[in-house]
Amino acid sequence: VIPGIGFESQHKFIPAHQQVLALAELAQNRGVHPDKLLRGTGIFYEDICSAQLLINPKQMLLVYKNAERLIEGKEVAFLYGQYLLPGHQALFSSAMMAASNTQDALTLLENFGQLALPLMQTRLRYDDRDCFVQFLPASGDDYQSRFLIETVVAALISVCRLLGGSTLGWRFLFAYPTPDYPEQYQVHLGDHITFDAHINGVFIPREHLSALWPRGATANFDMACSACQQALPPLAQQSLAQQVYQMLLVQIQQPPGLELVAQMLELSPASLKRKLKDWGCSYQQLLDAARRHMAIYYIRTQGMSSEQLAFKLNYHDKHNFKRSFKRWTGLTPAAYTSLSPA
Amino acid sequence: MNAQLKQHAGKLILLAIIIHLQLLLSLSFGETKSWSQIDWLDIAGEGGAVWLCLVWLALLVSVRPNGPVTNLLFGGFACFLVASGQDLLDEVVRFTPEMAWNDWAESIPMPIGMVLMTFGMMSWYREQQALNLQLQKRERGLRDHRHIDRVTGLANAQYLRKQLTEEIEQARHEQLSTALLMVDIDGFRQVNRRLGVVDGDRLLRELTEILLLNLRRRDLLCRYAGDRFAVVLPATCQTMATLIAGQLEGVVQHFAFRASNSDQAQFHTVSIGVAVDGFKIAEPGQPPAEQLLEQANYQLAKVKDQRVSVAA
């Protein structure tokens, strides 16, 4: 049984001053008045400055959209990302500052990332060579969240460099096609970048994970982490879309149907559908996403064949799997593998 | 915007007074026509001319700095406005033949305006030539305002790609080699974190000036992305390119940057990747400009790598 259901796009829980103030400042430096940045959100700049205002994901995403549209130069997301970690949430940032290595920082992000990056869920997976850090936006949509993804990867890489980690061998994957400013990715993130990967995340070589950072303090880190545990409101852990995605992912061989998911969340199927629609997604899209992510992860890390993947994802045969894969990505598994190196 | 208007305040006030006088005089000495006597087609045509003059004036004062060229152009447009305004007034006010000044107001300002405009355009031409000399290292022949970076005023990566493609094509034709430098500021992220984006942007701008001063006339400086600049060196061999890269590293190293909140000088270093378009990199299929960019970025990464391992 899952306690409570994930946040909806109307829930007001994001502290505006922690998230929006830096962006407003950036906008102003680039000649865009904060009021313009906040247009349509119903938020006033003065209210943000009072440090009390809570806003909802919908407002937050609208601010991002405005920023993307109004601020010239495509580096805003990357610059803004540098403000987001260690962030302005006192407990989270003190834990981050006490992290002893990249592994600590990633674990912190996976468990309590919502405190600093409320609209992005981080998920870690390990294989022999790498740790894969997957980013899943609150809306559950990999392709429409470019600005958000840019901010989060910039935040992660910037905090790791700040605290003394190396980010040289990191390999980034982005679900969406190459934007018309690939050089921003190159300069801010490094040379290993793949677009059209149909998943958002970064492969970090395992030997980077445990290299010690100069400022690390294990006792402080543990203390701050348990404080985070208490500070995190149970509902703010993930969005409803992320929650459903996760329920499907853990049982990907026998994924529960829409009715069963609704039942587990103590919702009627109709209201689950409506609430997901509010995030701009559907049960089927989330199921596709979970399967797609699994397939891509195994293709990239273990070079699995279509037969193996069909078995892994409980498809009737490899032709069915191939057909699904083609529907998700527009490519056959073989073409996908040959197009983008692992 | 307000500051922009303020520098033209004198001219604007003078023009407003003239227009008001013109209106007052016409309305008090002329005889207003009745509705039926008004030809609306003429009103539309002549009104359009007045309206266009106003648009020209608005554009002029909103972009041009004060100065002789602006004054001449402004005078020209103002004369057009007075002449076409009188023409329009003619349509709604009847003037008796003995009021000859109406005809004068219609016909005299026009040639004066023409003369002023001609002089204005001529001095604009000279001014533009002087500006072109200043802009040479920033744009190299092709001007496209869509590709200008707001922070540094340099051209951006899209423009760089375009220019590089043309440059290489021409250079290969003439059997010359083209070099490309990628200049990256070391530890720029820390500057942004420590001093804020305002000072970070200012550092980028000041470094832009420093780099521009130390380049040759034919070179082109662009802002690639973030804290990375690209320099196109036409007709330059590997040895020369390395030499120039060394010179740039040297001047940046000695540049004392002062944050807005302190007098303490801060010094920064840059890493530079050098790539030369020659026979070495000729992978078929990929455009040569992309290959050169890739090569320069790769060389830069190598230089950075070495610095990190030396420091560690």
Side-chain angles (χ1 to χ4, degrees):
Chain A
V1 181
I2 291 135
I5 67 164
F7 59 79
E8 292 166 39
S9 62
Q10 311 290 348
H11 282 171
K12 295 194 172 184
F13 68 95
I14 304 172
H17 64 287
Q18 289 176 11
Q19 298 290 326
V20 181
L21 213 51
L23 193 55
E25 202 176 305
L26 253 174
Q28 203 155 23
N29 288 336
R30 300 290 152 101
V32 174
H33 195 274
D35 289 343
K36 271 193 177 165
L37 185 70
L38 299 174
R39 184 170 291 166
T41 59
I43 316 168
F44 292 101
Y45 187 58
E46 291 72 31
D47 296 339
I48 299 178
C49 295
S50 76
Q52 303 288 330
L53 184 71
L54 297 177
I55 60 173
N56 66 33
K58 213 161 223 171
Q59 291 170 313
M60 186 81 208
L61 291 172
L62 189 54
V63 172
Y64 285 171
K65 200 174 251 176
N66 288 343
E68 211 176 356
R69 188 168 51 87
L70 295 170
I71 308 178
E72 278 184 50
K74 294 298 179 184
E75 58 175 346
V76 192
F78 296 97
L79 288 179
Y80 168 59
Q82 296 176 7
Y83 289 95
L84 291 179
L85 287 178
H88 309 281
Q89 209 282 343
L91 295 169
F92 185 88
S93 66
S94 63
M96 187 56 95
M97 294 306 283
S100 320
N101 49 36
T102 310
Q103 177 70 67
D104 277 359
L106 292 175
T107 314
L108 182 69
L109 259 186
E110 184 178 36
N111 293 324
F112 309 113
Q114 252 75 3
L115 288 173
L117 310 168
L119 296 182
M120 190 68 83
Q121 196 167 39
T122 314
R123 183 184 303 277
L124 306 180
R125 282 174 162 280
Y126 300 90
D127 65 273
D128 301 341
R129 211 157 51 114
D130 302 292
C131 168
F132 182 58
V133 185
Q134 193 203 327
F135 299 112
L136 186 73
S139 63
D141 189 334
D142 286 331
Y143 301 95
Q144 303 297 323
S145 314
R146 198 165 70 187
F147 190 89
L148 182 61
I149 301 272
E150 286 170 358
T151 63
V152 170
V153 290
L156 179 62
I157 206 162
S158 145
V159 78
C160 285
R161 293 222 185 120
L162 172 75
L163 297 176
S166 162
T167 57
L168 277 178
W170 291 22
R171 305 186 313 281
F172 292 88
L173 302 180
F174 297 99
Y176 39 83
T178 314
D180 49 12
Y181 46 92
E183 59 281 348
Q184 299 288 353
Y185 282 75
Q186 191 181 18
V187 169
H188 288 101
L189 307 179
D191 287 316
H192 309 287
I193 287 161
T194 308
F195 292 102
D196 272 322
H198 300 280
I199 192 169
N200 292 307
V202 48
F203 280 105
I204 300 178
R206 286 193 91 142
E207 66 267 21
H208 282 199
L209 295 182
S210 50
L212 282 183
W213 289 354
R215 270 184 270 187
T218 314
N220 290 4
F221 180 74
D222 292 344
M223 218 158 63
C225 276
S226 48
C228 282
Q229 180 89 59
Q230 283 153 23
L232 199 62
L235 278 186
Q237 303 226 16
Q238 48 186 191
S239 76
L240 183 65
Q242 289 166 335
Q243 190 181 19
V244 171
Y245 170 89
Q246 185 165 351
M247 291 162 73
L248 297 170
L249 192 70
V250 293
Q251 303 180 61
I252 199 70
Q253 291 223 322
Q254 299 287 339
L258 176 69
E259 284 76 21
L260 191 55
V261 171
Q263 204 182 339
M264 288 196 276
L265 293 169
E266 296 174 359
L267 289 170
S268 72
S271 61
L272 176 61
K273 262 191 208 164
R274 182 173 45 74
K275 283 172 194 286
L276 285 179
K277 197 175 168 198
D278 205 35
W279 276 113
C281 69
S282 67
Y283 169 85
Q284 189 58 44
Q285 279 172 349
L286 291 170
L287 180 59
D288 284 348
R291 284 182 167 150
R292 184 180 77 229
H293 293 157
M294 285 289 265
I296 286 172
Y297 179 75
Y298 284 118
I299 288 177
R300 285 185 174 274
T301 55
Q302 300 176 18
M304 272 196 187
S305 66
S306 294
E307 282 97 344
Q308 289 169 307
L309 283 167
F311 177 74
K312 193 112 197 158
L313 296 173
N314 204 18
Y315 272 84
H316 184 62
D317 58 23
K318 74 170 184 183
H319 300 293
N320 274 324
F321 168 73
K322 276 185 178 170
R323 204 170 308 127
S324 288
F325 196 87
K326 181 118 198 223
R327 182 166 57 80
W328 303 330
T329 65
L331 294 169
T332 61
Y336 178 86
T337 318
S338 67
L339 262 188
S340 42
Chain B
M1 193 66 205
N2 280 338
Q4 174 69 26
L5 280 184
K6 222 172 252 171
Q7 57 175 330
H8 300 295
K11 290 194 284 285
L12 288 169
I13 291 171
L14 188 63
L15 179 62
I17 292 173
I18 291 175
I19 298 284
H20 277 95
L21 273 179
Q22 186 187 4
L23 271 173
L24 280 176
L25 281 175
S26 304
L27 291 176
S28 51
F29 289 106
E31 176 190 332
T32 318
K33 288 185 184 176
S34 68
W35 289 108
S36 56
Q37 287 170 306
I38 292 176
D39 183 350
W40 289 103
L41 191 67
D42 281 0
I43 294 267
E46 281 150 22
V50 171
W51 181 240
L52 278 179
C53 286
L54 284 172
V55 171
W56 295 340
L57 277 169
L59 282 175
L60 187 74
V61 297
S62 62
V63 296
R64 293 274 322 176
N66 205 355
V69 177
T70 315
N71 288 343
L72 282 170
L73 293 177
F74 188 93
F77 288 147
C79 287
F80 290 165
L81 182 66
V82 169
S84 54
Q86 194 61 38
D87 213 13
L88 181 63
L89 280 169
D90 215 351
E91 294 301 320
V92 287
V93 180
R94 190 194 319 281
F95 296 98
T96 47
E98 53 266 27
M99 283 195 283
W101 59 267
N102 168 47
D103 290 338
W104 299 344
E106 249 185 76
S107 49
I108 293 175
M110 200 50 114
I112 298 180
M114 295 276 196
V115 172
L116 286 177
M117 281 290 290
T118 312
F119 277 109
M121 294 300 266
M122 271 159 58
S123 28
W124 190 15
Y125 170 74
R126 277 193 293 271
E127 178 197 80
Q128 201 53 49
Q129 275 189 321
L131 283 177
N132 283 350
L133 209 60
Q134 281 181 27
L135 284 172
Q136 203 167 34
K137 290 180 209 169
R138 291 176 185 257
E139 57 178 29
R140 262 183 75 79
L142 199 142
R143 179 167 303 170
D144 192 337
H145 64 277
R146 290 165 307 176
H147 295 320
I148 292 178
D149 168 57
R150 270 288 284 258
V151 177
T152 57
L154 294 174
N156 65 13
Q158 275 171 306
Y159 182 82
L160 170 71
R161 288 205 168 86
K162 223 185 215 167
Q163 278 288 55
L164 201 55
T165 310
E166 284 170 19
E167 191 63 55
I168 291 177
E169 195 176 320
Q170 203 185 340
R172 283 188 174 179
H173 193 70
E174 293 166 19
Q175 303 217 316
L176 292 168
S177 59
T178 308
L180 178 69
L181 306 182
M182 279 288 168
V183 184
D184 196 286
I185 307 170
D186 298 326
F188 184 69
R189 228 178 268 269
Q190 266 64 29
V191 178
N192 263 344
R193 263 198 200 270
R194 240 188 11 245
L195 306 176
V197 174
V198 182
D199 271 354
D201 282 357
R202 197 161 56 81
L203 175 62
L204 288 177
R205 266 194 296 275
E206 293 186 3
L207 282 181
T208 300
E209 296 300 326
I210 300 268
L211 293 174
L212 281 175
L213 281 175
N214 286 280
L215 287 173
R216 300 167 304 178
R217 258 183 165 210
R218 60 173 186 272
D219 302 336
L220 170 72
L221 180 68
C222 297
R223 185 177 181 210
Y224 188 61
D227 56 328
R228 195 171 296 184
F229 295 93
V231 191
V232 181
L233 306 172
T236 306
C237 62
Q238 177 83 39
T239 323
M240 194 61 199
T242 316
L243 188 72
I244 293 177
Q247 289 165 351
L248 293 182
E249 273 181 45
V251 292
V252 171
Q253 210 166 12
H254 292 106
F255 164 58
F257 177 71
R258 282 165 226 281
S260 48
N261 58 0
S262 109
D263 285 343
Q264 191 91 45
Q266 308 201 7
F267 293 91
H268 298 90
T269 55
V270 288
S271 304
I272 302 184
V274 184
V276 179
D277 175 60
F279 304 98
K280 221 172 20 176
I281 42 169
E283 215 178 284
Q286 215 188 350
E290 287 305 317
Q291 284 184 44
L292 193 60
L293 278 169
E294 200 173 291
Q295 181 71 11
N297 277 314
Y298 171 72
Q299 293 296 341
L300 174 66
K302 237 166 74 175
V303 171
K304 286 238 161 192
D305 236 18
Q306 278 163 3
R307 295 220 167 154
V308 171
S309 52
V310 166

PDB file of all heavy atoms in Angstrom, chain B residues 130-141:
ATOM      1  N   ALA B 130      33.461  54.298 -40.528  1.00  0.00           N
ATOM      2  CA  ALA B 130      34.280  54.329 -39.316  1.00  0.00           C
ATOM      3  C   ALA B 130      33.885  53.185 -38.392  1.00  0.00           C
ATOM      4  O   ALA B 130      34.740  52.508 -37.804  1.00  0.00           O
ATOM      5  CB  ALA B 130      34.104  55.671 -38.605  1.00  0.00           C
ATOM      6  N   LEU B 131      32.571  52.939 -38.279  1.00  0.00           N
ATOM      7  CA  LEU B 131      32.093  51.866 -37.404  1.00  0.00           C
ATOM      8  C   LEU B 131      32.530  50.500 -37.937  1.00  0.00           C
ATOM      9  O   LEU B 131      32.916  49.625 -37.174  1.00  0.00           O
ATOM     10  CB  LEU B 131      30.567  51.901 -37.300  1.00  0.00           C
ATOM     11  CG  LEU B 131      29.997  52.977 -36.400  1.00  0.00           C
ATOM     12  CD1 LEU B 131      28.481  52.922 -36.455  1.00  0.00           C
ATOM     13  CD2 LEU B 131      30.471  52.786 -34.972  1.00  0.00           C
ATOM     14  N   ASN B 132      32.468  50.344 -39.260  1.00  0.00           N
ATOM     15  CA  ASN B 132      32.856  49.062 -39.853  1.00  0.00           C
ATOM     16  C   ASN B 132      34.278  48.700 -39.470  1.00  0.00           C
ATOM     17  O   ASN B 132      34.590  47.539 -39.204  1.00  0.00           O
ATOM     18  CB  ASN B 132      32.753  49.128 -41.373  1.00  0.00           C
ATOM     19  CG  ASN B 132      31.322  49.026 -41.832  1.00  0.00           C
ATOM     20  OD1 ASN B 132      30.442  48.724 -41.028  1.00  0.00           O
ATOM     21  ND2 ASN B 132      31.081  49.294 -43.089  1.00  0.00           N
ATOM     22  N   LEU B 133      35.132  49.716 -39.455  1.00  0.00           N
ATOM     23  CA  LEU B 133      36.520  49.481 -39.099  1.00  0.00           C
ATOM     24  C   LEU B 133      36.591  48.908 -37.687  1.00  0.00           C
ATOM     25  O   LEU B 133      37.343  47.972 -37.402  1.00  0.00           O
ATOM     26  CB  LEU B 133      37.274  50.811 -39.179  1.00  0.00           C
ATOM     27  CG  LEU B 133      38.749  50.719 -39.519  1.00  0.00           C
ATOM     28  CD1 LEU B 133      38.931  50.073 -40.871  1.00  0.00           C
ATOM     29  CD2 LEU B 133      39.361  52.112 -39.506  1.00  0.00           C
ATOM     30  N   GLN B 134      35.749  49.490 -36.783  1.00  0.00           N
ATOM     31  CA  GLN B 134      35.730  49.010 -35.398  1.00  0.00           C
ATOM     32  C   GLN B 134      35.157  47.601 -35.292  1.00  0.00           C
ATOM     33  O   GLN B 134      35.556  46.814 -34.449  1.00  0.00           O
ATOM     34  CB  GLN B 134      34.866  49.931 -34.533  1.00  0.00           C
ATOM     35  CG  GLN B 134      35.540  51.196 -34.121  1.00  0.00           C
ATOM     36  CD  GLN B 134      34.618  52.033 -33.260  1.00  0.00           C
ATOM     37  OE1 GLN B 134      33.738  51.508 -32.587  1.00  0.00           O
ATOM     38  NE2 GLN B 134      34.810  53.325 -33.278  1.00  0.00           N
ATOM     39  N   LEU B 135      34.179  47.309 -36.154  1.00  0.00           N
ATOM     40  CA  LEU B 135      33.444  46.049 -36.026  1.00  0.00           C
ATOM     41  C   LEU B 135      34.122  44.899 -36.756  1.00  0.00           C
ATOM     42  O   LEU B 135      33.717  43.757 -36.616  1.00  0.00           O
ATOM     43  CB  LEU B 135      32.033  46.212 -36.602  1.00  0.00           C
ATOM     44  CG  LEU B 135      31.054  46.970 -35.734  1.00  0.00           C
ATOM     45  CD1 LEU B 135      29.767  47.214 -36.500  1.00  0.00           C
ATOM     46  CD2 LEU B 135      30.738  46.182 -34.469  1.00  0.00           C
ATOM     47  N   GLN B 136      35.155  45.243 -37.536  1.00  0.00           N
ATOM     48  CA  GLN B 136      35.709  44.263 -38.457  1.00  0.00           C
ATOM     49  C   GLN B 136      35.975  42.899 -37.824  1.00  0.00           C
ATOM     50  O   GLN B 136      35.568  41.872 -38.344  1.00  0.00           O
ATOM     51  CB  GLN B 136      37.000  44.812 -39.034  1.00  0.00           C
ATOM     52  CG  GLN B 136      37.364  44.177 -40.341  1.00  0.00           C
ATOM     53  CD  GLN B 136      38.466  44.966 -41.015  1.00  0.00           C
ATOM     54  OE1 GLN B 136      39.332  45.529 -40.359  1.00  0.00           O
ATOM     55  NE2 GLN B 136      38.424  45.026 -42.323  1.00  0.00           N
ATOM     56  N   LYS B 137      36.648  42.902 -36.668  1.00  0.00           N
ATOM     57  CA  LYS B 137      37.024  41.626 -36.055  1.00  0.00           C
ATOM     58  C   LYS B 137      35.826  40.928 -35.434  1.00  0.00           C
ATOM     59  O   LYS B 137      35.915  39.806 -34.994  1.00  0.00           O
ATOM     60  CB  LYS B 137      38.087  41.860 -34.992  1.00  0.00           C
ATOM     61  CG  LYS B 137      39.424  42.264 -35.568  1.00  0.00           C
ATOM     62  CD  LYS B 137      40.413  42.463 -34.442  1.00  0.00           C
ATOM     63  CE  LYS B 137      41.459  43.479 -34.821  1.00  0.00           C
ATOM     64  NZ  LYS B 137      42.260  43.861 -33.646  1.00  0.00           N
ATOM     65  N   ARG B 138      34.708  41.646 -35.340  1.00  0.00           N
ATOM     66  CA  ARG B 138      33.523  41.022 -34.766  1.00  0.00           C
ATOM     67  C   ARG B 138      32.639  40.392 -35.820  1.00  0.00           C
ATOM     68  O   ARG B 138      31.888  39.484 -35.536  1.00  0.00           O
ATOM     69  CB  ARG B 138      32.684  42.048 -34.005  1.00  0.00           C
ATOM     70  CG  ARG B 138      33.316  42.554 -32.741  1.00  0.00           C
ATOM     71  CD  ARG B 138      32.422  43.633 -32.161  1.00  0.00           C
ATOM     72  NE  ARG B 138      33.019  44.256 -30.988  1.00  0.00           N
ATOM     73  CZ  ARG B 138      32.642  43.985 -29.757  1.00  0.00           C
ATOM     74  NH1 ARG B 138      31.704  43.101 -29.540  1.00  0.00           N
ATOM     75  NH2 ARG B 138      33.195  44.592 -28.741  1.00  0.00           N
ATOM     76  N   GLU B 139      32.665  40.921 -37.059  1.00  0.00           N
ATOM     77  CA  GLU B 139      31.684  40.380 -38.002  1.00  0.00           C
ATOM     78  C   GLU B 139      32.225  39.970 -39.365  1.00  0.00           C
ATOM     79  O   GLU B 139      31.569  39.217 -40.066  1.00  0.00           O
ATOM     80  CB  GLU B 139      30.511  41.350 -38.164  1.00  0.00           C
ATOM     81  CG  GLU B 139      30.913  42.730 -38.610  1.00  0.00           C
ATOM     82  CD  GLU B 139      29.719  43.627 -38.800  1.00  0.00           C
ATOM     83  OE1 GLU B 139      28.712  43.420 -38.125  1.00  0.00           O
ATOM     84  OE2 GLU B 139      29.795  44.539 -39.630  1.00  0.00           O
ATOM     85  N   ARG B 140      33.379  40.439 -39.745  1.00  0.00           N
ATOM     86  CA  ARG B 140      33.979  39.989 -41.007  1.00  0.00           C
ATOM     87  C   ARG B 140      32.996  39.937 -42.172  1.00  0.00           C
ATOM     88  O   ARG B 140      32.668  38.856 -42.684  1.00  0.00           O
ATOM     89  CB  ARG B 140      34.623  38.621 -40.825  1.00  0.00           C
ATOM     90  CG  ARG B 140      36.108  38.705 -40.596  1.00  0.00           C
ATOM     91  CD  ARG B 140      36.721  37.341 -40.489  1.00  0.00           C
ATOM     92  NE  ARG B 140      36.832  36.691 -41.780  1.00  0.00           N
ATOM     93  CZ  ARG B 140      37.777  36.935 -42.673  1.00  0.00           C
ATOM     94  NH1 ARG B 140      38.692  37.839 -42.413  1.00  0.00           N
ATOM     95  NH2 ARG B 140      37.817  36.284 -43.801  1.00  0.00           N
ATOM     96  N   GLY B 141      32.534  41.102 -42.572  1.00  0.00           N
ATOM     97  CA  GLY B 141      31.834  41.167 -43.852  1.00  0.00           C
ATOM     98  C   GLY B 141      30.345  40.916 -43.846  1.00  0.00           C
ATOM     99  O   GLY B 141      29.623  41.548 -44.571  1.00  0.00           O
TER     100      GLY B 141
END
